[in-house]
């Protein structure tokens, strides 16, 4: 089945031709932290069918956003990873996460939750700290360059910010501020 297109000679429309399908940006969100196996992607995208995941990965690979490779040169484990072009989407996903954070005020009991999903929207909230920050939420962590809002796994962090899941919920829903959470001791910021 041919992919749908807006058929408009416009950068936004062409960009959406590539990343506008359902699940696509969530796949980018999952790969923002590094390479993932197909089974891990499927596990962290509750609700996606294996057919849709396979189709989206194939489309993203064809568009140069995702690449499939062996995890290590001699390893038989195949993983998906963002290409350089795909990594350019991480700040877009981070901005979308920041924009969508106020919508988290209404948490449903049936909502799926993965603690690493908190990391990108929280990066926008700690942006004023500057530099490279390692964010930690309930066993999930990543290092983010706050100037470019990109994930930089190998960088040495300037600070480590630890946020319990409950505090992350409060921050993202806008029920508290970072300064108040730090003052209350809910959030810790340590220089590296």
């Amino acid at each position: 089945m041919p992919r749908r297109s807006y058929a408009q000679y416009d950068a936004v429309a062409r960009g959406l031709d590539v990343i506008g399908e359902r699940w696509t940006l969530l796949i980018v969100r999952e790969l923002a932290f590094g390479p993932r196996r197909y089974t891990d992607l499927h596990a962290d995208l509750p609700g996606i069918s294996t057919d849709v995941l396979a189709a989206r990965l194939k489309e993203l690979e064809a568009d140069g956003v995702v690449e499939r490779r062996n995890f290590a040169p001699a390893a038989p484990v195949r993983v998906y990873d963002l290409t350089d072009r795909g990594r350019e989407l991480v700040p877009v996903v981070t901005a979308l996460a920041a924009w969508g954070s106020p919508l988290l005020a209404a948490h449903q009991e049936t909502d799926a939750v993965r603690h690493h999903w908190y990391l990108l929207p929280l990066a926008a909230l700690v942006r004023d700290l500057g530099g490279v920050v390692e964010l930690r939420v309930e066993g999930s962590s990543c290092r983010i360059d706050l100037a470019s809002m990109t994930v930089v796994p190998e960088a040495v962090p300037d600070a480590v910010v630890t946020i319990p899941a409950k505090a992350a919920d409060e921050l993202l829903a806008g029920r508290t501020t970072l300064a108040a959470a730090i003052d209350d001791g809910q959030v810790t910021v340590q220089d590296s």
Side-chain angles (χ1 to χ4, degrees):
M1 181 168 131
R3 190 186 314 181
R4 292 181 293 184
S5 171
Y6 289 101
Q8 297 177 10
Y9 188 70
D10 167 70
V12 173
R14 291 288 166 88
L16 287 172
D17 285 348
V18 173
I19 64 166
E21 289 289 338
R22 189 166 189 238
W23 296 104
T24 300
L25 287 177
L26 296 179
I27 292 168
V28 171
R29 175 198 66 197
E30 292 302 311
L31 295 174
F33 306 106
R36 304 283 304 274
R37 295 180 314 162
Y38 180 90
T39 54
D40 296 331
L41 284 171
H42 189 258
D44 281 335
L45 291 166
I48 194 171
S49 71
T50 56
D51 291 347
V52 170
L53 178 56
R56 292 296 175 272
L57 287 168
K58 188 175 183 178
E59 291 166 358
L60 289 168
E61 210 174 343
D63 290 324
V65 174
V66 167
E67 63 183 351
R68 190 172 30 161
R69 59 181 174 78
N70 286 334
F71 185 67
V77 176
R78 302 282 289 183
V79 294
Y80 290 89
D81 199 3
L82 293 174
T83 62
D84 289 342
R85 181 104 167 112
R87 277 186 277 287
E88 291 174 0
L89 289 169
V90 175
V92 174
V93 173
T94 303
L96 182 58
W99 182 86
S101 288
L103 303 173
L104 295 176
H107 180 76
Q108 305 298 319
E109 289 280 329
T110 56
D111 286 344
V113 176
R114 304 290 188 275
H115 291 121
H116 70 273
W117 294 346
Y118 288 100
L119 298 171
L120 293 178
L122 287 171
L125 293 179
V126 302
R127 195 170 198 169
D128 289 344
L129 296 175
V132 174
V133 170
E134 181 173 330
L135 282 172
R136 296 179 180 170
V137 178
E138 301 294 329
S140 294
S141 67
C142 73
R143 293 176 180 176
I144 298 180
D145 180 335
L146 296 175
S148 62
M149 295 305 279
T150 56
V151 176
V152 288
E154 305 301 322
V156 175
D158 299 304
V160 176
V161 180
T162 304
I163 307 172
K166 184 175 179 168
D169 284 337
E170 297 297 308
L171 285 164
L172 294 175
R175 292 188 288 265
T176 192
T177 64
L178 181 62
I182 291 170
D183 288 344
D184 292 349
Q186 295 177 57
V187 173
T188 60
V189 179
Q190 297 173 313
D191 292 334
S192 295

